Amino acid sequence: MCGIVGYIGHREAYPIIIEGLKRLEYRGYDSAGIALFDGTDLKVSKTKGKVLDLENRVASEISTNAKLGIGHTRWATHGVPNDINAHPHYSNSGNLVIIHNGIIENYDSLKKELIARGYTFKSDTDTEVLINLIEDVKLKENVKLGKAVQIALNQVIGAYSIAVFDKNKPDEIVIARLGSPLAVGIGEDEFFIASDASPFIEYTKNAVYLEDEEMAIIRINKGIKIRKIKDDTLVDLYVQELQMNLEQIEKGGYEHFMLKEIHEQPNAIRDTYRGRLLVKEGIIRMAGVDDNMEKFLNANRIVIVACGTSWHAGLVAEYIFEDLARIPVEVEYASEFRYRNPVITSNDVVIAISQSGETADTLAAIKLAKANGAFVFGVCNVVGSSIARETNAGAYTHAGPEIGVASTKAFTTQITVLTLIALKLAKAKGSISNSDYRYHLQELELIPEKVAKALQSDEHIKEVADIYKDARNCLYLGRGYNFPVALEGALKLKEISYIHAEGYPAAEMKHGPIALIDEQMPVIVVATKKGHYEKVVSNIQEIKSRKGKIIGIVTEGDVHVQELADHIIEVPETLEPLSPLLTTIPLQLLSYHIAVMLGKNVDQPRNLAKSVTVE
Ligand code: M6R
């Protein structure tokens, strides 16, 4: 996820773009850049860091006459965050300039073809490949910029929203969208382009939102023309009047970042497996694993180190690695591991999981593991973070920035990456049959739409939240793959509503926690069809006979638990190893609604920080 802004009109472009970028920083903030053209001089400034760093760096050197400009705040996907990889990027001739939000999956093959045709590249980005592809098409086919963009995009696989201009045509910007949002603000002889409407809300309330697979040519004095990228059909212009204020726009219309991030999960999971999960071919492509396959296959065991929610994702991974790939796994709190003199050798593979990539305990655990000769693999969200740099290899989750302190999309995307790795290893080891392997790939591809379906229970979950919001304690139970989900559900409730909650393996309840159960105690039980269903139903009966209040997270169409439980929340059916990706959704929503009803600061709960960089 990145933020893009563009302007063409009669005003000075620089202040509009720089202020717009500040408003889009929630979309990414590891580097920023701007390109301004005053009809003669093209000025491009880029820097690692925040928009403020860009502002400090360029304030003195930027042309204030430019009425055309584009700017970008980056959340790295290809290439670490640094000055060179920051956008805008320009073509080899220096004439075409681009900003891009998204991922070009086939950038590697396109790059090879362009290199063979004499093109050179300064950055590691997929974006620089795209702008040179556009230039190549433009020159080869002798077409205008808009046509060149269209032809080039038809060769591209991936997701994008882009804005491009040509120095030789300073009255025009070409934009396009597939999978990443793009809005155009329409003023009097001026146009604003942005990832959302926040950068232009004070200039115009009239906006056009591009749909997927659409592109637009925006020309001063001539207006905006939208076409389908595939077949060039002209699209009717639908101008909307914006009703939202600035804060609502930044949160995508949601009340809190946490809610926005919960609802982003279908797309976030899709972005995680994009370009990696090739269902038709029956392939999982992950360079970090492919390049180190021998290390994984020859390992005595895998040790997972992480903290908090990432540790819970590690527990889910323990089940899936052992179940499918038959590799022994141990999951350790990084804070314990680093101080307990663990037995680690060069025959171990250590997987470190971290959303931020900056958690001090996880970083220290990695250093200890490396010092003992282990091969360390990172699963991080933030590209170029300390953990991503410290590990020997890794795979990013590509969840986009997570702003809410409570992890939501980080958890499900971490599980997605770990599932891909487990399936890849299982295939390589032959511990999974071909048909089972294919079935898992197909089901994984369906998870985003099933998550979207699970999210539709939001209103019902809100009603349940209203009934239990005043509870003093809550118990979360699950078995097998859904035991870590119970832990994660309890953590979500604790951290944002400050209600005491415990997660337990359902069968452990009778060894102690059952003493807590009375008519005041809500017990949230994950009881999906495939995971030890009958056993969990027996556990539910034990709770019922002690008058506990039961909220069952069940598979769609379940009738058995419905008879016993006070409330049920349904999730779509899937394979058991993938079920945490669905069962966790209602638990996130339940804690969110309870916290909102209690008037808590959901996005910034007390005493917590998004990334814990101290011991
Ligand atoms: O950035 P990391 O994934 O390393 O962070 C680990 C924990 O601090 C984090 O998951 C924390 O537990 C969250 N607040 C949970 O919602």
Side-chain angles (χ1 to χ4, degrees), residues 585-600:
I585 305 295
L587 305 190
Q588 294 170 346
L589 287 168
L590 186 66
S591 46
Y592 169 78
H593 287 303
I594 290 179
V596 171
M597 286 169 189
L598 295 177
K600 306 299 183 207

Side-chain angles (χ1 to χ4, degrees), residues 360-481:
D361 285 324
T362 311
L363 198 51
I366 291 167
K367 288 181 179 157
L368 177 68
K370 276 173 76 179
N372 284 279
F375 170 75
V376 185
F377 188 91
V379 175
C380 296
N381 190 31
V382 180
V383 175
S385 54
S386 305
I387 291 176
R389 280 183 279 117
E390 191 63 43
T391 41
N392 300 106
Y396 288 115
T397 51
H398 297 316
E402 194 179 64
I403 311 286
V405 164
S407 264
T408 51
K409 62 177 180 172
F411 181 61
T412 45
T413 54
Q414 286 165 347
I415 294 174
T416 304
V417 163
L418 293 159
T419 303
L420 288 169
I421 300 173
L423 283 166
K424 210 171 158 49
L425 297 182
K427 178 82 167 61
K429 282 189 68 180
S431 57
I432 190 169
S433 71
N434 268 342
S435 58
D436 253 12
Y437 171 76
R438 291 257 177 187
Y439 191 24
H440 279 77
L441 300 199
Q442 283 158 9
E443 271 298 308
L444 187 54
E445 195 179 37
L446 294 178
I447 286 294
E449 64 191 68
K450 294 190 177 183
V451 170
K453 186 106 192 283
L455 287 165
Q456 287 170 7
S457 299
D458 194 25
E459 273 309 308
H460 170 52
I461 295 170
K462 207 168 171 181
E463 288 160 17
V464 176
D466 196 32
I467 298 168
Y468 295 104
K469 63 180 185 302
D470 298 316
R472 302 281 306 276
N473 301 286
C474 278
L475 198 55
Y476 285 74
L477 303 177
R479 290 183 88 131
Y481 281 97

